[in-house]
Amino acid sequence: MILTNIGTVKEILSRHGFSFSKGLGQNFIVNPDICPRIAENGNACKGFGVIEIGTGIGVLTSELAKRAEKVVAVEIDSRLLPILDETLADFDNVKIINEDVMKCDLRRVITDEFDGLRVAVCANLPYYITSPIIMMLLESRLPIESITVMVQKEAAQRLCAKVGTRDSGAITVGVNYYGTVKKLFDVSRGSFMPAPNVDSAVIRIDLGSGCRLDEKSEKFFFSVVKAGFSQRRKTLANSLASVMGIPKEKVYSAISSLGLPEAARIEQLDMEQLIAFSAALSDK
């Protein structure tokens, strides 16, 4: 069964009475070259267990299962379960959890399902919930080594931007705080069924080499980052005064301690400067 053959896909979906859900951002991969590349680049190999988020009809799931010791796929759409029973029937190392990944206890999943294995995440993420899922995975500090995901091309550009440039955002800072990120390859909109209105890209985040602050400092740091980027075209003093209620004089003092101009905006600070600015501001 070739799950990237459009005729096969249509036949399977029709037989099960399945229709695509726009609300769930469902776009299934039909380009046969994409999923093997994601699996190869995503730590799907011996010694690894892989968490997949969203299965479609199992195209990526099957490629992961061919390579990894075990795959646990979290799929919110119960209508796909009978389809997956059929398309993944040849694999005895796949478990499907019918749940919203944002509510799923992934730490328990890892403990229960991947004992003795290293862990990675691979997914074709719905565009509408890309950032929340990535930040949830990062902030949870799960024992995972890498996150390899397909996202909207524009989101990939932001995720992979250099902190301190115009293309960066709060999600860029978050990713660089917890690890390192790189873009692997682009994916055209014609690689999906139905085809979305935008192109995509596959990125990989390697965890464990990022920053480490104590819990209180980390919480304040991210509050500053989120506040600053929520009004990114304003100066740091104006945005933090508006969102966090911090007196402008206090912000100016922290900015001055870094040798930056009073009119500095958050997108102009690199990672080291952001951490130093947050520390200076919390000490004032």
Side-chain angles (χ1 to χ4, degrees), residues 88-151:
L88 300 175
D90 292 338
F91 298 100
D92 60 4
N93 62 337
V94 176
K95 178 174 182 177
I96 309 295
I97 297 177
N98 181 207
E99 198 170 336
D100 180 348
V101 72
M102 297 298 289
K103 300 176 182 177
C104 183
D105 186 349
L106 293 179
R107 189 171 299 277
R108 181 168 183 176
V109 168
I110 291 171
T111 300
D112 292 349
E113 305 294 339
F114 296 138
D115 184 38
L117 297 176
R118 298 160 71 184
V119 183
V121 172
C122 290
N124 170 26
L125 294 181
Y127 295 155
Y128 77 97
I129 200 170
T130 293
S131 293
I133 289 177
I134 290 176
M135 287 310 299
M136 177 274 291
L137 292 171
L138 297 175
E139 291 172 348
S140 298
R141 292 197 182 279
L142 298 166
I144 56 180
E145 296 191 18
S146 64
I147 301 169
T148 305
V149 288
M150 179 148 49
V151 300

Short mmCIF file of all heavy atoms in Angstrom, two decimals, residues 88-151:
data_model
loop_
_atom_site.label_atom_id
_atom_site.label_comp_id
_atom_site.label_asym_id
_atom_site.label_seq_id
_atom_site.Cartn_x
_atom_site.Cartn_y
_atom_site.Cartn_z
N LEU A 88 -1.40 1.03 9.10
CA LEU A 88 -0.23 0.69 9.92
C LEU A 88 -0.27 -0.75 10.44
O LEU A 88 0.44 -1.11 11.37
CB LEU A 88 -0.14 1.66 11.12
CG LEU A 88 0.00 3.14 10.78
CD1 LEU A 88 -0.04 3.99 12.06
CD2 LEU A 88 1.30 3.41 10.01
N ALA A 89 -1.09 -1.57 9.80
CA ALA A 89 -1.29 -2.95 10.26
C ALA A 89 0.00 -3.78 10.26
O ALA A 89 0.13 -4.74 11.03
CB ALA A 89 -2.34 -3.64 9.39
N ASP A 90 0.95 -3.40 9.43
CA ASP A 90 2.19 -4.18 9.32
C ASP A 90 3.21 -3.85 10.40
O ASP A 90 4.26 -4.50 10.49
CB ASP A 90 2.84 -3.96 7.94
CG ASP A 90 2.02 -4.55 6.81
OD1 ASP A 90 1.21 -5.45 7.08
OD2 ASP A 90 2.20 -4.10 5.66
N PHE A 91 2.92 -2.85 11.21
CA PHE A 91 3.90 -2.41 12.22
C PHE A 91 3.42 -2.75 13.63
O PHE A 91 2.33 -2.39 14.03
CB PHE A 91 4.12 -0.90 12.12
CG PHE A 91 4.68 -0.46 10.79
CD1 PHE A 91 3.84 0.07 9.82
CD2 PHE A 91 6.03 -0.60 10.51
CE1 PHE A 91 4.34 0.46 8.59
CE2 PHE A 91 6.55 -0.20 9.28
CZ PHE A 91 5.69 0.32 8.32
N ASP A 92 4.28 -3.46 14.36
CA ASP A 92 3.94 -3.82 15.74
C ASP A 92 4.65 -2.92 16.75
O ASP A 92 4.58 -3.16 17.96
CB ASP A 92 4.27 -5.29 16.01
CG ASP A 92 5.75 -5.62 15.83
OD1 ASP A 92 6.55 -4.68 15.56
OD2 ASP A 92 6.11 -6.80 15.93
N ASN A 93 5.32 -1.88 16.26
CA ASN A 93 6.05 -0.97 17.15
C ASN A 93 5.43 0.43 17.15
O ASN A 93 6.12 1.42 17.43
CB ASN A 93 7.53 -0.89 16.76
CG ASN A 93 7.74 -0.34 15.34
OD1 ASN A 93 6.85 -0.41 14.51
ND2 ASN A 93 8.94 0.18 15.09
N VAL A 94 4.14 0.51 16.82
CA VAL A 94 3.44 1.79 16.78
C VAL A 94 2.27 1.76 17.75
O VAL A 94 1.49 0.80 17.79
CB VAL A 94 2.91 2.11 15.37
CG1 VAL A 94 2.09 3.41 15.40
CG2 VAL A 94 4.05 2.24 14.38
N LYS A 95 2.16 2.82 18.54
CA LYS A 95 1.00 2.99 19.42
C LYS A 95 0.37 4.34 19.12
O LYS A 95 1.06 5.36 19.03
CB LYS A 95 1.42 2.93 20.90
CG LYS A 95 0.25 3.14 21.86
CD LYS A 95 0.67 2.94 23.31
CE LYS A 95 -0.52 3.10 24.25
NZ LYS A 95 -0.12 2.83 25.67
N ILE A 96 -0.95 4.36 18.96
CA ILE A 96 -1.68 5.59 18.71
C ILE A 96 -2.41 6.01 19.98
O ILE A 96 -3.12 5.21 20.59
CB ILE A 96 -2.72 5.42 17.57
CG1 ILE A 96 -2.06 4.81 16.32
CG2 ILE A 96 -3.38 6.76 17.25
CD1 ILE A 96 -1.02 5.67 15.68
N ILE A 97 -2.22 7.26 20.36
CA ILE A 97 -2.95 7.83 21.49
C ILE A 97 -3.91 8.87 20.95
O ILE A 97 -3.50 9.86 20.36
CB ILE A 97 -1.99 8.48 22.51
CG1 ILE A 97 -1.05 7.44 23.11
CG2 ILE A 97 -2.78 9.18 23.62
CD1 ILE A 97 -0.02 8.01 24.07
N ASN A 98 -5.21 8.62 21.13
CA ASN A 98 -6.24 9.53 20.62
C ASN A 98 -6.48 10.64 21.65
O ASN A 98 -7.33 10.54 22.52
CB ASN A 98 -7.53 8.74 20.35
CG ASN A 98 -8.65 9.59 19.80
OD1 ASN A 98 -9.82 9.28 19.98
ND2 ASN A 98 -8.32 10.67 19.11
N GLU A 99 -5.68 11.72 21.51
CA GLU A 99 -5.74 12.79 22.51
C GLU A 99 -5.20 14.08 21.90
O GLU A 99 -4.46 14.07 20.91
CB GLU A 99 -4.91 12.38 23.74
CG GLU A 99 -5.23 13.17 24.99
CD GLU A 99 -4.57 12.57 26.23
OE1 GLU A 99 -4.26 11.36 26.22
OE2 GLU A 99 -4.36 13.32 27.19
N ASP A 100 -5.56 15.19 22.51
CA ASP A 100 -5.02 16.50 22.16
C ASP A 100 -3.61 16.58 22.75
O ASP A 100 -3.44 16.44 23.97
CB ASP A 100 -5.91 17.59 22.73
CG ASP A 100 -5.44 19.00 22.42
OD1 ASP A 100 -4.30 19.17 21.95
OD2 ASP A 100 -6.22 19.94 22.67
N VAL A 101 -2.61 16.80 21.93
CA VAL A 101 -1.23 16.79 22.43
C VAL A 101 -1.00 17.87 23.48
O VAL A 101 -0.16 17.71 24.38
CB VAL A 101 -0.22 16.94 21.27
CG1 VAL A 101 -0.24 18.37 20.70
CG2 VAL A 101 1.19 16.55 21.71
N MET A 102 -1.78 18.96 23.42
CA MET A 102 -1.62 20.03 24.40
C MET A 102 -2.14 19.63 25.78
O MET A 102 -1.84 20.30 26.78
CB MET A 102 -2.33 21.30 23.92
CG MET A 102 -1.75 21.87 22.63
SD MET A 102 -0.02 22.39 22.78
CE MET A 102 -0.20 23.85 23.82
N LYS A 103 -2.90 18.55 25.83
CA LYS A 103 -3.43 18.06 27.11
C LYS A 103 -2.84 16.71 27.50
O LYS A 103 -3.12 16.20 28.58
CB LYS A 103 -4.96 17.95 27.02
CG LYS A 103 -5.65 19.27 26.72
CD LYS A 103 -7.14 19.07 26.54
CE LYS A 103 -7.84 20.39 26.20
NZ LYS A 103 -9.29 20.21 25.96
N CYS A 104 -2.04 16.15 26.63
CA CYS A 104 -1.48 14.82 26.85
C CYS A 104 -0.29 14.89 27.82
O CYS A 104 0.54 15.80 27.74
CB CYS A 104 -1.02 14.23 25.52
SG CYS A 104 -0.39 12.55 25.60
N ASP A 105 -0.20 13.94 28.73
CA ASP A 105 0.92 13.87 29.67
C ASP A 105 2.09 13.17 28.97
O ASP A 105 2.30 11.97 29.11
CB ASP A 105 0.50 13.10 30.92
CG ASP A 105 1.57 13.12 32.01
OD1 ASP A 105 2.71 13.54 31.72
OD2 ASP A 105 1.26 12.70 33.14
N LEU A 106 2.87 13.96 28.23
CA LEU A 106 3.95 13.39 27.44
C LEU A 106 5.07 12.83 28.32
O LEU A 106 5.75 11.88 27.94
CB LEU A 106 4.51 14.44 26.48
CG LEU A 106 3.56 14.89 25.37
CD1 LEU A 106 4.23 15.96 24.51
CD2 LEU A 106 3.13 13.71 24.50
N ARG A 107 5.25 13.40 29.48
CA ARG A 107 6.28 12.87 30.38
C ARG A 107 5.94 11.44 30.79
O ARG A 107 6.80 10.57 30.84
CB ARG A 107 6.42 13.77 31.61
CG ARG A 107 7.62 13.43 32.49
CD ARG A 107 7.83 14.48 33.57
NE ARG A 107 8.11 15.79 33.01
CZ ARG A 107 9.31 16.18 32.61
NH1 ARG A 107 10.34 15.35 32.73
NH2 ARG A 107 9.48 17.39 32.12
N ARG A 108 4.67 11.21 31.06
CA ARG A 108 4.25 9.85 31.42
C ARG A 108 4.34 8.92 30.21
O ARG A 108 4.72 7.75 30.35
CB ARG A 108 2.82 9.87 31.97
CG ARG A 108 2.33 8.50 32.38
CD ARG A 108 1.05 8.56 33.17
NE ARG A 108 0.65 7.23 33.61
CZ ARG A 108 -0.39 6.99 34.39
NH1 ARG A 108 -1.15 7.99 34.83
NH2 ARG A 108 -0.69 5.76 34.75
N VAL A 109 4.00 9.44 29.03
CA VAL A 109 4.13 8.65 27.81
C VAL A 109 5.57 8.17 27.65
O VAL A 109 5.83 7.00 27.36
CB VAL A 109 3.69 9.46 26.58
CG1 VAL A 109 4.09 8.75 25.28
CG2 VAL A 109 2.19 9.71 26.60
N ILE A 110 6.51 9.09 27.82
CA ILE A 110 7.92 8.75 27.68
C ILE A 110 8.34 7.70 28.70
O ILE A 110 9.03 6.73 28.38
CB ILE A 110 8.78 10.02 27.81
CG1 ILE A 110 8.55 10.93 26.60
CG2 ILE A 110 10.26 9.66 27.93
CD1 ILE A 110 9.18 12.30 26.72
N THR A 111 7.90 7.87 29.94
CA THR A 111 8.25 6.92 31.01
C THR A 111 7.67 5.54 30.73
O THR A 111 8.35 4.52 30.88
CB THR A 111 7.73 7.43 32.36
OG1 THR A 111 8.33 8.69 32.66
CG2 THR A 111 8.05 6.44 33.47
N ASP A 112 6.40 5.52 30.31
CA ASP A 112 5.71 4.24 30.11
C ASP A 112 6.10 3.52 28.83
O ASP A 112 6.13 2.28 28.78
CB ASP A 112 4.19 4.47 30.10
CG ASP A 112 3.65 4.89 31.45
OD1 ASP A 112 4.39 4.80 32.45
OD2 ASP A 112 2.47 5.33 31.52
N GLU A 113 6.39 4.28 27.77
CA GLU A 113 6.55 3.68 26.45
C GLU A 113 7.99 3.58 25.96
O GLU A 113 8.29 2.77 25.08
CB GLU A 113 5.73 4.47 25.41
CG GLU A 113 4.26 4.62 25.74
CD GLU A 113 3.51 3.31 25.72
OE1 GLU A 113 4.00 2.35 25.09
OE2 GLU A 113 2.42 3.23 26.34
N PHE A 114 8.89 4.40 26.49
CA PHE A 114 10.24 4.47 25.94
C PHE A 114 11.32 4.14 26.95
O PHE A 114 12.40 4.73 26.93
CB PHE A 114 10.49 5.87 25.37
CG PHE A 114 9.60 6.25 24.22
CD1 PHE A 114 9.05 7.52 24.14
CD2 PHE A 114 9.32 5.35 23.21
CE1 PHE A 114 8.23 7.88 23.08
CE2 PHE A 114 8.50 5.69 22.14
CZ PHE A 114 7.96 6.96 22.07
N ASP A 115 11.06 3.22 27.85
CA ASP A 115 12.03 2.86 28.87
C ASP A 115 13.34 2.40 28.22
O ASP A 115 13.36 1.48 27.40
CB ASP A 115 11.46 1.74 29.75
CG ASP A 115 12.39 1.38 30.90
OD1 ASP A 115 13.01 2.30 31.45
OD2 ASP A 115 12.49 0.18 31.23
N GLY A 116 14.42 3.05 28.59
CA GLY A 116 15.73 2.66 28.07
C GLY A 116 16.06 3.24 26.70
O GLY A 116 17.15 2.98 26.18
N LEU A 117 15.14 3.99 26.12
CA LEU A 117 15.38 4.55 24.79
C LEU A 117 15.63 6.06 24.86
O LEU A 117 15.12 6.74 25.74
CB LEU A 117 14.15 4.31 23.88
CG LEU A 117 13.79 2.87 23.56
CD1 LEU A 117 12.49 2.82 22.75
CD2 LEU A 117 14.92 2.18 22.80
N ARG A 118 16.40 6.56 23.93
CA ARG A 118 16.51 8.00 23.74
C ARG A 118 15.24 8.43 22.99
O ARG A 118 14.61 7.62 22.33
CB ARG A 118 17.77 8.32 22.94
CG ARG A 118 19.04 7.89 23.67
CD ARG A 118 20.21 7.74 22.74
NE ARG A 118 20.70 9.04 22.27
CZ ARG A 118 21.67 9.17 21.38
NH1 ARG A 118 22.25 8.09 20.85
NH2 ARG A 118 22.08 10.37 21.01
N VAL A 119 14.88 9.70 23.12
CA VAL A 119 13.58 10.13 22.60
C VAL A 119 13.71 11.35 21.69
O VAL A 119 14.47 12.28 21.96
CB VAL A 119 12.61 10.47 23.77
CG1 VAL A 119 11.23 10.84 23.22
CG2 VAL A 119 12.51 9.30 24.74
N ALA A 120 12.94 11.32 20.61
CA ALA A 120 12.88 12.44 19.68
C ALA A 120 11.41 12.69 19.32
O ALA A 120 10.55 11.83 19.52
CB ALA A 120 13.68 12.14 18.41
N VAL A 121 11.15 13.89 18.80
CA VAL A 121 9.81 14.24 18.33
C VAL A 121 9.89 14.53 16.83
O VAL A 121 10.82 15.22 16.38
CB VAL A 121 9.26 15.49 19.06
CG1 VAL A 121 7.96 15.97 18.40
CG2 VAL A 121 9.03 15.19 20.53
N CYS A 122 8.95 13.99 16.07
CA CYS A 122 8.85 14.28 14.63
C CYS A 122 7.38 14.56 14.31
O CYS A 122 6.50 13.85 14.82
CB CYS A 122 9.33 13.12 13.78
SG CYS A 122 11.11 12.82 13.82
N ALA A 123 7.12 15.55 13.48
CA ALA A 123 5.72 15.87 13.19
C ALA A 123 5.57 16.78 12.00
O ALA A 123 6.46 17.57 11.67
CB ALA A 123 5.08 16.53 14.42
N ASN A 124 4.43 16.65 11.36
CA ASN A 124 3.95 17.62 10.38
C ASN A 124 2.90 18.43 11.12
O ASN A 124 1.76 17.99 11.28
CB ASN A 124 3.34 16.90 9.16
CG ASN A 124 2.61 17.84 8.23
OD1 ASN A 124 2.91 19.04 8.17
ND2 ASN A 124 1.64 17.31 7.50
N LEU A 125 3.29 19.60 11.64
CA LEU A 125 2.42 20.34 12.55
C LEU A 125 1.36 21.16 11.82
O LEU A 125 1.67 21.79 10.80
CB LEU A 125 3.25 21.29 13.42
CG LEU A 125 4.21 20.65 14.42
CD1 LEU A 125 4.94 21.74 15.20
CD2 LEU A 125 3.49 19.72 15.37
N PRO A 126 0.13 21.18 12.35
CA PRO A 126 -0.89 22.09 11.80
C PRO A 126 -0.42 23.53 11.95
O PRO A 126 0.13 23.90 13.00
CB PRO A 126 -2.12 21.81 12.68
CG PRO A 126 -1.88 20.48 13.30
CD PRO A 126 -0.39 20.37 13.46
N TYR A 127 -0.62 24.33 10.92
CA TYR A 127 -0.11 25.70 10.95
C TYR A 127 -0.67 26.51 12.11
O TYR A 127 0.03 27.31 12.72
CB TYR A 127 -0.45 26.42 9.63
CG TYR A 127 0.22 25.85 8.41
CD1 TYR A 127 -0.35 26.01 7.14
CD2 TYR A 127 1.43 25.16 8.50
CE1 TYR A 127 0.27 25.50 6.01
CE2 TYR A 127 2.03 24.65 7.37
CZ TYR A 127 1.45 24.81 6.12
OH TYR A 127 2.06 24.30 5.01
N TYR A 128 -1.95 26.29 12.42
CA TYR A 128 -2.62 27.16 13.39
C TYR A 128 -2.12 27.00 14.82
O TYR A 128 -2.36 27.86 15.67
CB TYR A 128 -4.14 26.94 13.35
CG TYR A 128 -4.61 25.68 14.04
CD1 TYR A 128 -5.10 25.71 15.34
CD2 TYR A 128 -4.58 24.45 13.38
CE1 TYR A 128 -5.53 24.56 15.98
CE2 TYR A 128 -5.02 23.30 14.01
CZ TYR A 128 -5.49 23.36 15.30
OH TYR A 128 -5.92 22.21 15.92
N ILE A 129 -1.41 25.91 15.09
CA ILE A 129 -1.00 25.67 16.47
C ILE A 129 0.50 25.35 16.57
O ILE A 129 0.97 24.80 17.56
CB ILE A 129 -1.86 24.52 17.08
CG1 ILE A 129 -1.81 24.55 18.61
CG2 ILE A 129 -1.44 23.16 16.50
CD1 ILE A 129 -2.80 23.62 19.27
N THR A 130 1.26 25.75 15.56
CA THR A 130 2.69 25.46 15.52
C THR A 130 3.43 25.99 16.74
O THR A 130 4.10 25.24 17.46
CB THR A 130 3.33 26.07 14.24
OG1 THR A 130 2.81 25.37 13.10
CG2 THR A 130 4.84 25.93 14.27
N SER A 131 3.33 27.30 16.99
CA SER A 131 4.10 27.91 18.09
C SER A 131 3.70 27.36 19.46
O SER A 131 4.58 27.04 20.27
CB SER A 131 3.95 29.43 18.06
OG SER A 131 4.58 29.96 16.92
N PRO A 132 2.39 27.23 19.76
CA PRO A 132 2.02 26.67 21.07
C PRO A 132 2.58 25.26 21.30
O PRO A 132 3.03 24.95 22.40
CB PRO A 132 0.49 26.67 21.03
CG PRO A 132 0.14 27.78 20.11
CD PRO A 132 1.20 27.75 19.05
N ILE A 133 2.57 24.43 20.27
CA ILE A 133 3.08 23.06 20.43
C ILE A 133 4.59 23.08 20.67
O ILE A 133 5.10 22.41 21.58
CB ILE A 133 2.74 22.19 19.21
CG1 ILE A 133 1.24 21.88 19.17
CG2 ILE A 133 3.54 20.88 19.24
CD1 ILE A 133 0.80 21.07 17.96
N ILE A 134 5.32 23.84 19.88
CA ILE A 134 6.76 23.91 20.04
C ILE A 134 7.13 24.44 21.42
O ILE A 134 8.00 23.88 22.12
CB ILE A 134 7.40 24.76 18.93
CG1 ILE A 134 7.31 24.03 17.59
CG2 ILE A 134 8.87 25.07 19.27
CD1 ILE A 134 7.82 24.82 16.40
N MET A 135 6.48 25.52 21.85
CA MET A 135 6.80 26.09 23.16
C MET A 135 6.40 25.15 24.29
O MET A 135 7.09 25.06 25.31
CB MET A 135 6.13 27.45 23.33
CG MET A 135 6.77 28.56 22.50
SD MET A 135 8.59 28.67 22.67
CE MET A 135 8.77 29.01 24.44
N MET A 136 5.31 24.42 24.12
CA MET A 136 4.92 23.43 25.13
C MET A 136 6.01 22.36 25.28
O MET A 136 6.40 21.98 26.39
CB MET A 136 3.59 22.80 24.75
CG MET A 136 3.10 21.69 25.69
SD MET A 136 3.75 20.03 25.29
CE MET A 136 2.89 19.71 23.74
N LEU A 137 6.51 21.88 24.14
CA LEU A 137 7.55 20.86 24.18
C LEU A 137 8.82 21.39 24.84
O LEU A 137 9.48 20.68 25.62
CB LEU A 137 7.87 20.39 22.75
CG LEU A 137 6.77 19.60 22.03
CD1 LEU A 137 7.14 19.40 20.57
CD2 LEU A 137 6.54 18.25 22.70
N LEU A 138 9.16 22.63 24.56
CA LEU A 138 10.37 23.22 25.12
C LEU A 138 10.22 23.51 26.61
O LEU A 138 11.07 23.14 27.42
CB LEU A 138 10.73 24.50 24.38
CG LEU A 138 11.08 24.37 22.90
CD1 LEU A 138 11.29 25.75 22.28
CD2 LEU A 138 12.33 23.52 22.71
N GLU A 139 9.13 24.16 26.96
CA GLU A 139 8.94 24.59 28.35
C GLU A 139 8.71 23.41 29.29
O GLU A 139 8.99 23.51 30.49
CB GLU A 139 7.75 25.55 28.43
CG GLU A 139 8.04 26.90 27.77
CD GLU A 139 6.82 27.79 27.68
OE1 GLU A 139 5.70 27.28 27.93
OE2 GLU A 139 6.97 28.99 27.37
N SER A 140 8.24 22.29 28.76
CA SER A 140 8.01 21.11 29.59
C SER A 140 9.31 20.46 30.02
O SER A 140 9.32 19.63 30.93
CB SER A 140 7.15 20.08 28.84
OG SER A 140 5.89 20.61 28.52
N ARG A 141 10.41 20.82 29.36
CA ARG A 141 11.72 20.23 29.64
C ARG A 141 11.65 18.70 29.67
O ARG A 141 12.17 18.03 30.58
CB ARG A 141 12.30 20.75 30.96
CG ARG A 141 12.68 22.23 30.92
CD ARG A 141 13.61 22.59 32.06
NE ARG A 141 13.95 23.99 32.08
CZ ARG A 141 14.89 24.57 31.32
NH1 ARG A 141 15.55 23.84 30.46
NH2 ARG A 141 15.14 25.87 31.42
N LEU A 142 11.00 18.17 28.66
CA LEU A 142 10.90 16.72 28.54
C LEU A 142 12.26 16.13 28.18
O LEU A 142 13.09 16.80 27.58
CB LEU A 142 9.88 16.36 27.45
CG LEU A 142 8.45 16.82 27.68
CD1 LEU A 142 7.64 16.70 26.39
CD2 LEU A 142 7.81 15.98 28.78
N PRO A 143 12.51 14.89 28.53
CA PRO A 143 13.79 14.26 28.19
C PRO A 143 13.84 13.85 26.72
O PRO A 143 13.90 12.67 26.38
CB PRO A 143 13.83 13.05 29.13
CG PRO A 143 12.39 12.70 29.34
CD PRO A 143 11.65 14.01 29.36
N ILE A 144 13.77 14.84 25.84
CA ILE A 144 13.85 14.58 24.40
C ILE A 144 15.10 15.26 23.84
O ILE A 144 15.54 16.28 24.34
CB ILE A 144 12.59 15.06 23.65
CG1 ILE A 144 12.32 16.55 23.90
CG2 ILE A 144 11.38 14.24 24.07
CD1 ILE A 144 11.11 17.08 23.18
N GLU A 145 15.67 14.66 22.82
CA GLU A 145 16.93 15.17 22.26
C GLU A 145 16.73 16.09 21.07
O GLU A 145 17.56 16.98 20.83
CB GLU A 145 17.83 14.00 21.86
CG GLU A 145 18.25 13.15 23.07
CD GLU A 145 19.35 12.16 22.73
OE1 GLU A 145 20.03 12.34 21.69
OE2 GLU A 145 19.51 11.20 23.50
N SER A 146 15.65 15.89 20.32
CA SER A 146 15.45 16.73 19.15
C SER A 146 13.97 16.83 18.81
O SER A 146 13.18 15.95 19.15
CB SER A 146 16.22 16.18 17.94
OG SER A 146 15.73 14.91 17.57
N ILE A 147 13.62 17.93 18.14
CA ILE A 147 12.27 18.15 17.64
C ILE A 147 12.40 18.47 16.16
O ILE A 147 12.97 19.51 15.79
CB ILE A 147 11.60 19.34 18.37
CG1 ILE A 147 11.54 19.09 19.87
CG2 ILE A 147 10.20 19.59 17.81
CD1 ILE A 147 11.12 20.33 20.67
N THR A 148 11.93 17.59 15.31
CA THR A 148 12.01 17.79 13.87
C THR A 148 10.58 17.92 13.35
O THR A 148 9.80 16.98 13.43
CB THR A 148 12.72 16.61 13.18
OG1 THR A 148 14.01 16.44 13.79
CG2 THR A 148 12.88 16.87 11.69
N VAL A 149 10.26 19.11 12.84
CA VAL A 149 8.86 19.38 12.46
C VAL A 149 8.77 20.12 11.14
O VAL A 149 9.66 20.89 10.77
CB VAL A 149 8.15 20.22 13.55
CG1 VAL A 149 7.89 19.38 14.79
CG2 VAL A 149 8.95 21.46 13.92
N MET A 150 7.67 19.85 10.44
CA MET A 150 7.35 20.62 9.25
C MET A 150 6.37 21.71 9.64
O MET A 150 5.36 21.44 10.30
CB MET A 150 6.74 19.73 8.17
CG MET A 150 6.37 20.49 6.92
SD MET A 150 6.53 19.53 5.41
CE MET A 150 5.65 18.03 5.83
N VAL A 151 6.69 22.94 9.26
CA VAL A 151 5.89 24.10 9.62
C VAL A 151 5.72 24.98 8.39
O VAL A 151 6.37 24.79 7.36
CB VAL A 151 6.53 24.90 10.76
CG1 VAL A 151 6.71 24.05 12.01
CG2 VAL A 151 7.90 25.47 10.33
#
